[in-house]
Structure formats: structure tokens, C-alpha cells
Amino acid sequence: MNKRILICTDLDRTLLPNGRQPESPGARAAFSRLVSRPEVTLAYVSGRHRELVEDAIREYELPLPDWVIGDVGTTIYQVGTGEWRHWPEWERDIAADWRGLTANALRPLFADLPFLRLQEEAKQNRYKLSYYLPLQADIDALQREMLRRLETRQVAAGLIYSVDEATSTGLLDVLPAHATKLHAVEFLMQHQSFDYANTVFAGDSGNDLPVLASAIQSVLVANADLDVVGQAKAQARKQGMMAAFYLAQGGFLGMNGNYSAGILEGVAHYHPGTQIWME
């Protein structure tokens, strides 16, 4: 098999075994064998900012990717040579949503809202405004009010909510409307001449749902929470995309389907010829 494949994977609790479930021994080594092939282009797609992605690569001895989509889709870096090159084309693409405004300029819009607590400056950037909030907060009502205020300023924005399981804390990101993991992956596909037939995305959590339910071939790793599994299936079914959605089951190459084992299972599901590269 000579066709190029683009593998896009989330990091935390997808490629990184930093969840509650056990990792299959040898799974990450098999993943490294797969992505070392010249036929494979590797992109990490993460909510982490650049420094935290680099920390993960070092701590877990991950293969150096060709691309990193970071900061919940607001930054793209070309990394293949080891030198992180910012991709300004992507920032120009998403900047129009905020009509010249930056995240700093939007902060006063939400200063009076209860529960919202700004995340550290290292976790903010020009097009990403990030907050912590307690799990008991009324997330739906809060998001409705935030979107109402953004609309009055004619700012096209998306709100991404997720939960940091390790600290039992809610995370809320305000992003340009087009700064989604889905749009970022499709932007990368378009500019690197990949299509839906030779791209595979792997994820585990709520902020991966737009990609998991899209036309992009996707895999939800077996360690994903049951509510995410239910939402992913429901959304993929509603959009008529079940043929492009795969839930890792375990058993592939004797592995359990968690984390990188699930990624490999999904890649082999869509591209059976790759299995020999993993063994």
C-alpha cells in the first residue's frame, strides 16, 4: 500500500495513557512503528498549548509529529524538522470571525459572570479565551448568556466545554467560530492534499465530537466515557456519518483498545493494509 495516510490524534487520554483505564503493553511502540513509515503523516490535535505538547512528547517518548494543531484548534505548527514553525495562514483564516478583536479585548464582556475564573496566561492566546468553572455551575445557562453577549458585538464565536477529570474542574474555551478541531483538520487536509478517504482522526472526549461525527474517518478509543460514546454515536447517526465512525472494541493484535491501542485498531479498520506495519 503506497497511498499516503494522515493520522490526526488527540493527546490526553487518546494517545497519552493518562486516564483511569490500563494501557496495553507495547501499544505505543506499535504506534511508533506505524507512524515512522514514510507513507504516514502524523498530526497531534490537542487542547494543550505548545509547551505542554512538548512536555507530553518528552514524558511519554512520543514520535515527533509532522504537524501540531494546538490550543483547541487555534494554532497550527509545522514540526516535521524538529523546528516548530507557526502557520500564519491558519490564524488569518480564523481571524475574520472576531472582526479584528483578540481574546484580551473580549475579557470585559464576561467579567461580571459568576463561576468563571480565568485560566493561567500561558493557556490563553490571541484567539483563545479560557476559563475554569466548577462542575456544579449551570453550564447551559452560562453558555447561552455568553453567546448572547458575543452576538450583540457581532463576534462569531464557539464555546467548547470539557471536564478535567484529574481535578474535577470544568474548562470553557471561547474561540473563533471556525477555530474548531474539525475545521483545523480539514484545513490541514486541504493544504496538504489529503482527502476523507485517507485521513483518520482519533479522540476520546467531548471536544472531539465534531470530528467524530463528521465525514472524516474517525475512531473513538475504548477508554472513552460512556456518555461521550453515546453522544458520538447519536451525532454521527444524525449526520449520516456512521460509516466514518468506529468505536474501538479491543482484541486487535491482542490489545485492549484503550489509548494508542484504540488508535491502531481504528487505523487498521479503515486501512487494513497498515496492520503489517504495526506488527
Side-chain angles (χ1 to χ4, degrees), residues 135-167:
L135 298 184
Q136 66 267 28
D138 187 339
I139 307 301
D140 291 339
L142 182 63
Q143 289 183 320
R144 282 196 300 272
E145 175 59 19
M146 293 174 75
L147 287 172
R148 186 192 68 78
R149 295 182 182 194
L150 288 161
E151 286 166 8
T152 62
R153 295 287 297 274
Q154 297 180 303
V155 172
L159 303 181
I160 301 292
Y161 175 73
S162 57
V163 175
D164 183 342
E165 294 177 3
T167 61

Side-chain angles (χ1 to χ4, degrees), residues 91 94-110 124-131 150 153 155 157 174-176:
E91 284 201 359
I94 63 176
D97 289 336
W98 283 7
R99 300 171 57 250
L101 297 175
T102 64
N104 277 345
L106 295 180
R107 290 185 187 190
L109 273 182
F110 313 120
Q124 315 283 350
N125 70 34
R126 189 175 180 83
Y127 298 110
K128 175 173 171 280
L129 177 56
S130 298
Y131 294 95
L150 288 161
R153 295 287 297 274
V155 172
V174 184
L175 314 171

Side-chain angles (χ1 to χ4, degrees), residues 17-253:
N18 54 356
R20 295 187 300 271
Q21 293 89 336
E23 179 186 32
S24 276
R28 259 182 293 153
F31 178 82
S32 294
R33 284 195 293 275
L34 171 64
V35 300
S36 69
R37 300 283 306 194
E39 300 92 338
V40 179
T41 297
L42 176 61
Y44 293 153
V45 185
S46 178
R48 293 183 178 222
H49 57 79
R50 173 182 169 172
E51 289 77 10
L52 288 181
V53 173
E54 291 182 296
D55 288 348
I57 291 170
R58 279 192 300 269
E59 180 181 352
Y60 291 93
E61 299 179 337
L62 301 179
L64 196 65
D66 300 285
W67 298 89
V68 169
I69 296 170
D71 299 285
V72 201
T74 57
T75 56
I76 300 181
Y77 295 93
Q78 187 170 14
V79 191
T81 61
E83 178 186 346
W84 290 59
R85 187 180 74 81
H86 210 250
W87 212 21
E89 295 92 335
W90 173 241
E91 284 201 359
R92 285 198 292 271
D93 189 80
I94 63 176
D97 289 336
W98 283 7
R99 300 171 57 250
L101 297 175
T102 64
N104 277 345
L106 295 180
R107 290 185 187 190
L109 273 182
F110 313 120
D112 63 314
L113 291 176
F115 299 120
L116 289 181
R117 180 166 60 90
L118 278 168
Q119 293 183 23
E120 297 85 351
E121 287 302 321
K123 297 180 180 177
Q124 315 283 350
N125 70 34
R126 189 175 180 83
Y127 298 110
K128 175 173 171 280
L129 177 56
S130 298
Y131 294 95
Y132 294 118
L133 64 165
L135 298 184
Q136 66 267 28
D138 187 339
I139 307 301
D140 291 339
L142 182 63
Q143 289 183 320
R144 282 196 300 272
E145 175 59 19
M146 293 174 75
L147 287 172
R148 186 192 68 78
R149 295 182 182 194
L150 288 161
E151 286 166 8
T152 62
R153 295 287 297 274
Q154 297 180 303
V155 172
L159 303 181
I160 301 292
Y161 175 73
S162 57
V163 175
D164 183 342
E165 294 177 3
T167 61
S168 296
T169 305
L171 308 172
L172 186 63
D173 297 309
V174 184
L175 314 171
H178 286 92
T180 64
K181 286 186 176 183
L182 173 58
H183 187 51
V185 170
E186 289 181 329
F187 189 88
L188 180 60
M189 289 165 60
Q190 176 187 344
H191 284 263
Q192 295 298 304
S193 302
F194 290 99
D195 56 33
Y196 291 116
N198 60 2
T199 301
V200 179
F201 173 85
D204 79 295
S205 66
N207 62 20
D208 298 317
L209 286 171
V211 197
L212 293 167
S214 75
I216 296 171
Q217 296 174 340
S218 62
V219 53
L220 185 60
V221 290
N223 55 283
D225 285 343
L226 288 178
D227 62 329
V228 175
V229 174
Q231 290 179 67
K233 285 182 175 177
Q235 291 184 26
R237 193 174 291 116
K238 182 179 179 181
Q239 296 183 40
M241 294 298 173
M242 285 300 288
F245 172 76
Y246 180 78
L247 175 63
Q249 305 291 317
F252 175 71
L253 296 182

